[in-house]
Amino acid sequence: MSAKSFGTAKSFGTATSRKTAALLEALLAWAAARHRNAAILLVAVSLLAFLPGIFQLPPIDRDEARFAQATKQMLETGDLVDIRFQEESRYKKPVGIYWLQAAVVGAAETLGLPEARTRIWLYRVPSILGAVGAVLLTYWTALAFVSRRGAVLAGLMMGSCILLAVEARLAKTDAVLFATTVASMGAMARAYLIERAQRPDPGHPWALPAIFWTAMAAGFLIKGPLIVMVVGLTVAALAIADRSARFVLRLRPLAGLAWMLLLVLPWFVAIVLKSGAGFFEESLGRDLLSKVGSGQEAHGAPPGYYFLLFWGTFFPASILVPMAFGAVWKSRSVPEVRYLLAWLIPTWLVFEAAMTKLPHYVLPVYPAVAILLAMAIDHQALSRNIWLRRAPMWWFILTAVVSVGLIVINIWIGQRFGPTTWLLSGIALTLALFAWWLFEADGVVVSFMRMVIAMIVLFTAAFSATFPTIGTLFPSLQLARFVAFGRCDQVLAATAGYHEPSLVFLVGTDVRHVSGAGAADFLARGGRCRYAFVEKGHERAFVQRADAIGLRYAQGVRIDGVNYSSGRAVSIQTFVGVDP
């Protein structure tokens, strides 16, 4: 390329970059002009970030599949009080999420959607709505602390957050709980700042209490006392720092608590009448307290685990945190900053101290980080330290790591080239490169908005173009398709060695869990609609037992794949019963 043509290309790239920057600035200015505009932008970004893959991804083991299956059994039995996974009680969490999922699936059935009960995306609808609602509620909460422009930025930080993007796609409690927690904390923030004379009284004295206590009740029905812990620790920290908790009186605690109990007690009374003390023994004893005292289900980790994960789970906004830290710490005595730190620090420390650690546990405090960041940006208080200003290079580095990882998954596990993943990853990587390279020229706001677009493309690459299209990642789906090919009105199935909840959800509630020999005995009862799924390690026992009893059977397909829950390869041979 000649010097002249190189200069022309460089000028074209610079002009294009300036036009893009101007468009992004104009888009943010439009969103900040009116609340309606802000809501439109945040909903659009959230849906673009959360929807890719939502319809294609099969049920994810193990939590999502357990939640969905328990809801399916509610619909099958018509019992909306008891919570069960097959024959076992499932009392680790209250009933709220099951009711929401059942309402969506029931509505789909009423509208005539075929096979609604085995369409996992229907069970994910409450999580999608919860995640989008949480983004909007982050914006609403941020309005108590920053300008409308800053509040939009805080919402965009949550809308592009990797952790929330994952939770939005899973049919379980955390995205909905997150929305209820942000609503409660937003209402309490306004009560606190009014008491501290930092903002005018909104008018009706019951508006904030109604939002706060209704959200508290909803959160309690979704995941028990966790929302109470987040709120309680914040109140305690503020009471210690201010030597007063008078702001709580603005939330009408006596009337509010009575309203909360009115909403939550009916189901708790009903489940106690049905199960006795079983619900509280399992939810409080075997679930909550065991997570505090021991690493439940091999999820133990030392303190510092969440700090290390934060840089990836809150990406891309996490990369800006080092530049805002100094300004936040200097302003820690300012009421707005004090409230956000009281929301963030005590809950974070409790989760770091607990033995059981899962990445999503700290999600309820991420809006506090987002608002603190937006506040620093709003006040143009980000550090000018040359080393901290180099942090955006991690936008490019981590995007490159994820992009390469997706390509490797296509080639190594999927045994294919995956051109769509390459294309989308390349686009995301280019956007991340410009976000870093032009950070000083464009400024933090435009650069971050470039990264928001990059994350939307990256989510599409991961959740739509990669994971759902690799069949070996989902052995349960392959087994369910094999069963469906038999066109049986009533399927009877047993599985030996492969015991994932997704199999129960996809094949049927009556799937039996047996040994290799037990699978042969199961088929011996006769009928061509009997299926046995025998994992490789149990095949010998199956064959020996089949020979011993003179079993006649048909050998079906072999399913080879990867059990991502256990991290090991699986090989499952299918067997089909034959008519006598």
Side-chain angles (χ1 to χ4, degrees):
M1 181 182 289
S2 67
K4 182 178 180 180
S5 61
F6 178 79
T8 302
K10 183 177 179 181
S11 299
F12 175 78
T14 304
T16 302
S17 173
R18 287 173 180 169
K19 287 181 180 178
T20 303
L23 285 173
L24 292 174
E25 283 281 14
L27 179 62
L28 183 60
W30 173 82
R34 300 177 66 180
H35 291 307
R36 183 189 66 183
N37 297 355
I40 291 172
L41 176 63
L42 292 175
V43 169
V45 167
S46 298
L47 292 178
L48 288 171
F50 302 154
L51 282 181
I54 209 80
F55 302 102
Q56 303 104 303
L57 280 168
I60 305 299
D61 289 308
R62 293 179 172 119
D63 276 353
E64 179 185 48
R66 286 171 178 155
F67 276 104
Q69 174 60 27
T71 300
K72 182 155 74 85
Q73 287 182 222
M74 278 188 171
L75 293 166
E76 290 170 349
T77 63
D79 187 344
L80 297 180
V81 174
D82 203 11
I83 308 169
R84 293 195 167 271
F85 180 87
Q86 294 191 296
E87 297 301 320
E88 296 180 3
S89 63
R90 183 167 169 78
Y91 296 151
K92 291 184 177 183
K93 304 293 185 291
V95 78
I97 194 64
Y98 304 102
W99 281 351
L100 293 175
Q101 292 176 357
V104 173
V105 178
E109 285 187 318
T110 302
L111 294 172
L113 183 67
E115 300 178 352
R117 293 184 186 181
T118 54
R119 294 180 185 270
I120 188 63
W121 67 266
L122 289 171
Y123 297 81
R124 292 169 176 157
V125 169
S127 293
I128 301 167
L129 296 177
V132 174
V135 171
L136 292 174
L137 286 165
T138 298
Y139 165 77
W140 174 72
T141 301
L143 289 172
F145 300 90
V146 295
S147 68
R148 194 178 296 169
R149 184 173 184 269
V152 172
L153 282 175
L156 290 174
M157 291 175 193
M158 292 311 309
S160 58
C161 168
I162 285 181
L163 183 56
L164 185 56
V166 171
E167 293 302 325
R169 291 172 167 84
L170 296 176
K172 54 194 192 77
T173 56
D174 297 285
V176 179
L177 173 72
F178 181 44
T180 63
T181 304
V182 181
S184 295
M185 297 302 292
M188 190 165 75
R190 284 163 170 77
Y192 176 76
L193 295 176
I194 291 169
E195 182 67 25
R196 301 282 296 182
Q198 298 300 309
R199 60 179 287 116
D201 196 306
H204 200 291
W206 287 98
L208 293 178
I211 296 171
F212 177 82
W213 291 105
T214 302
M216 287 284 288
F220 203 90
L221 281 172
I222 293 295
K223 206 168 182 176
L226 185 59
I227 190 171
V228 178
M229 185 196 79
V230 176
V231 170
L233 287 173
T234 305
V235 171
L238 291 171
I240 293 170
D242 296 338
R243 295 182 177 83
S244 171
R246 283 185 54 84
F247 72 94
V248 174
L249 297 178
R250 291 186 174 274
L251 296 173
R252 305 292 194 271
L254 294 179
L257 186 60
W259 171 244
M260 178 179 170
L261 292 175
L262 180 65
L263 293 176
V264 304
L265 278 182
W267 178 78
F268 280 94
V269 171
I271 195 64
V272 168
L273 291 176
K274 182 176 283 286
S275 69
F279 172 78
F280 294 104
E281 289 175 357
E282 185 170 343
S283 63
L284 296 179
R286 291 197 291 272
D287 187 50
L288 181 62
L289 295 180
S290 64
K291 286 179 178 177
V292 173
S294 62
Q296 195 180 65
E297 298 178 0
H299 293 307
Y305 172 84
Y306 289 115
F307 177 77
L308 293 176
L309 280 188
F310 168 79
W311 307 102
T313 55
F314 193 54
F315 187 84
S318 59
I319 302 305
L320 301 175
V321 168
M323 285 183 274
F325 180 81
V328 169
W329 188 246
K330 288 177 183 177
S331 305
R332 62 189 181 275
S333 61
V334 175
E336 289 88 345
V337 176
R338 178 174 289 181
Y339 180 87
L340 294 169
L341 292 177
W343 178 357
L344 169 63
I345 294 174
T347 298
W348 190 290
L349 292 177
V350 167
F351 282 127
E352 288 283 20
M355 292 300 295
T356 299
K357 292 181 174 68
L358 288 170
H360 60 265
Y361 284 0
V362 293
L363 181 60
V365 304
Y366 278 9
V369 182
I371 297 169
L372 285 168
L373 269 176
M375 189 180 297
I377 294 171
D378 231 16
H379 294 112
Q380 299 182 342
L382 293 182
S383 173
R384 302 301 305 177
N385 181 283
I386 188 172
W387 295 105
L388 295 180
R389 302 289 288 191
R390 290 176 178 175
M393 71 179 178
W394 288 98
W395 281 339
F396 176 72
I397 294 172
L398 293 181
T399 302
V401 169
V402 174
S403 298
V404 171
L406 293 176
I407 292 168
V408 169
I409 288 171
N410 268 292
I411 295 173
W412 182 41
I413 299 178
Q415 299 294 305
R416 59 181 193 166
F417 187 67
T420 306
T421 301
W422 281 78
L423 174 63
L424 293 173
S425 296
I427 294 171
L429 199 56
T430 302
L431 289 166
L433 175 63
F434 276 105
W436 161 44
W437 199 254
L438 299 175
F439 181 77
E440 293 298 341
D442 288 345
V444 62
V445 172
V446 168
S447 296
F448 178 73
M449 292 182 72
R450 289 184 193 274
M451 275 308 302
V452 171
I453 301 171
M455 295 309 297
I456 290 172
V457 177
L458 200 60
F459 292 151
T460 305
F463 298 116
S464 184
T466 302
F467 297 128
T469 59
I470 301 178
T472 51
L473 287 174
F474 306 102
S476 295
L477 181 62
Q478 296 184 68
L479 292 170
R481 286 173 174 169
F482 173 71
V483 170
F485 185 75
R487 299 182 181 279
C488 291
D489 293 331
Q490 185 176 4
V491 172
L492 299 172
T495 179
Y498 180 75
H499 304 296
E500 294 300 331
S502 58
L503 183 65
V504 179
F505 176 80
L506 291 169
V507 174
T509 301
D510 295 327
V511 169
R512 300 186 185 184
H513 302 276
V514 297
S515 63
D521 291 331
F522 175 79
L523 288 184
R525 297 172 190 174
R528 69 175 187 84
C529 287
R530 283 183 179 268
Y531 295 82
F533 312 130
V534 183
E535 207 271 331
K536 188 175 183 179
H538 294 256
E539 279 188 62
R540 184 175 181 180
F542 172 85
V543 172
Q544 289 176 340
R545 179 61 178 167
D547 290 343
I549 63 177
L551 176 67
R552 294 176 61 244
Y553 59 87
Q555 188 166 303
V557 300
R558 177 176 292 276
I559 305 297
D560 292 311
V562 176
N563 187 340
Y564 50 81
S565 296
S566 61
R568 65 184 183 90
V570 295
S571 181
I572 305 165
Q573 179 63 54
T574 61
F575 299 95
V576 185
V578 296
D579 292 327

